[in-house]
mmCIF file of all heavy atoms in Angstrom:
data_model
loop_
_atom_site.group_PDB
_atom_site.id
_atom_site.type_symbol
_atom_site.label_atom_id
_atom_site.label_comp_id
_atom_site.label_asym_id
_atom_site.label_seq_id
_atom_site.Cartn_x
_atom_site.Cartn_y
_atom_site.Cartn_z
ATOM 1 N N VAL A 54 -0.515 -55.560 -57.585
ATOM 2 C CA VAL A 54 -0.588 -54.252 -56.897
ATOM 3 C C VAL A 54 -2.013 -54.214 -56.242
ATOM 4 O O VAL A 54 -3.088 -54.154 -56.922
ATOM 5 C CB VAL A 54 -0.340 -53.063 -57.793
ATOM 6 C CG1 VAL A 54 -0.336 -51.756 -57.056
ATOM 7 C CG2 VAL A 54 0.979 -53.265 -58.648
ATOM 8 N N ASP A 98 8.497 -49.065 -23.388
ATOM 9 C CA ASP A 98 8.112 -50.351 -23.864
ATOM 10 C C ASP A 98 6.991 -50.244 -24.895
ATOM 11 O O ASP A 98 6.934 -50.993 -25.773
ATOM 12 C CB ASP A 98 7.542 -51.197 -22.657
ATOM 13 C CG ASP A 98 8.532 -51.510 -21.527
ATOM 14 O OD1 ASP A 98 9.771 -51.710 -21.975
ATOM 15 O OD2 ASP A 98 8.256 -51.421 -20.358
ATOM 16 N N ALA A 117 -2.360 -49.270 -42.824
ATOM 17 C CA ALA A 117 -3.140 -48.435 -41.753
ATOM 18 C C ALA A 117 -3.605 -49.498 -40.694
ATOM 19 O O ALA A 117 -3.885 -50.590 -41.012
ATOM 20 C CB ALA A 117 -4.335 -47.748 -42.452
ATOM 21 N N ALA A 182 -12.322 -44.510 -26.793
ATOM 22 C CA ALA A 182 -12.180 -46.017 -26.788
ATOM 23 C C ALA A 182 -12.426 -46.730 -25.377
ATOM 24 O O ALA A 182 -11.566 -47.073 -24.757
ATOM 25 C CB ALA A 182 -10.769 -46.332 -27.275
ATOM 26 N N ALA A 263 -28.027 -48.634 -37.808
ATOM 27 C CA ALA A 263 -27.249 -47.574 -37.282
ATOM 28 C C ALA A 263 -26.063 -47.275 -38.234
ATOM 29 O O ALA A 263 -25.540 -46.103 -38.284
ATOM 30 C CB ALA A 263 -26.628 -47.906 -35.913
ATOM 31 N N ASP A 289 -24.857 -59.941 -45.273
ATOM 32 C CA ASP A 289 -26.166 -60.096 -45.907
ATOM 33 C C ASP A 289 -27.122 -58.913 -45.399
ATOM 34 O O ASP A 289 -27.989 -58.474 -46.109
ATOM 35 C CB ASP A 289 -26.770 -61.407 -45.656
ATOM 36 C CG ASP A 289 -26.076 -62.607 -46.429
ATOM 37 O OD1 ASP A 289 -25.241 -62.158 -47.431
ATOM 38 O OD2 ASP A 289 -26.321 -63.805 -46.090
ATOM 39 N N GLU A 312 -5.138 -63.385 -41.643
ATOM 40 C CA GLU A 312 -6.502 -63.038 -41.155
ATOM 41 C C GLU A 312 -7.506 -63.191 -42.264
ATOM 42 O O GLU A 312 -8.627 -63.739 -41.969
ATOM 43 C CB GLU A 312 -6.492 -61.563 -40.694
ATOM 44 C CG GLU A 312 -7.261 -61.372 -39.439
ATOM 45 C CD GLU A 312 -6.840 -62.094 -38.285
ATOM 46 O OE1 GLU A 312 -5.667 -62.180 -37.988
ATOM 47 O OE2 GLU A 312 -7.779 -62.564 -37.493
ATOM 48 N N SER A 328 -19.807 -71.583 -49.990
ATOM 49 C CA SER A 328 -19.904 -70.406 -50.769
ATOM 50 C C SER A 328 -19.989 -69.050 -49.904
ATOM 51 O O SER A 328 -19.846 -67.973 -50.341
ATOM 52 C CB SER A 328 -21.135 -70.405 -51.669
ATOM 53 O OG SER A 328 -22.270 -70.266 -51.045
ATOM 54 N N MET A 338 -13.173 -56.940 -47.277
ATOM 55 C CA MET A 338 -12.926 -56.749 -45.864
ATOM 56 C C MET A 338 -11.565 -56.259 -45.464
ATOM 57 O O MET A 338 -11.372 -55.463 -44.665
ATOM 58 C CB MET A 338 -13.220 -58.018 -45.076
ATOM 59 C CG MET A 338 -14.784 -58.378 -44.955
ATOM 60 S SD MET A 338 -14.943 -59.635 -43.776
ATOM 61 C CE MET A 338 -15.222 -61.051 -44.807
ATOM 62 N N LEU A 372 2.058 -69.435 -55.364
ATOM 63 C CA LEU A 372 1.200 -68.493 -56.103
ATOM 64 C C LEU A 372 1.099 -68.740 -57.583
ATOM 65 O O LEU A 372 0.770 -67.910 -58.450
ATOM 66 C CB LEU A 372 1.656 -67.114 -55.783
ATOM 67 C CG LEU A 372 1.554 -66.705 -54.315
ATOM 68 C CD1 LEU A 372 2.052 -65.212 -54.110
ATOM 69 C CD2 LEU A 372 0.067 -66.756 -53.859
ATOM 70 N N GLN A 432 8.866 -60.325 -10.420
ATOM 71 C CA GLN A 432 9.304 -59.966 -9.142
ATOM 72 C C GLN A 432 8.229 -59.813 -8.123
ATOM 73 O O GLN A 432 7.086 -59.372 -8.534
ATOM 74 C CB GLN A 432 10.127 -58.687 -9.195
ATOM 75 C CG GLN A 432 11.609 -59.010 -9.612
ATOM 76 C CD GLN A 432 12.345 -57.690 -10.023
ATOM 77 O OE1 GLN A 432 11.808 -56.603 -9.829
ATOM 78 N NE2 GLN A 432 13.437 -57.886 -10.660
#
Side-chain angles (χ1 to χ4, degrees):
V54 183
D98 295 322
D289 290 345
E312 215 62 39
S328 70
M338 284 191 256
L372 297 177
Q432 276 162 14

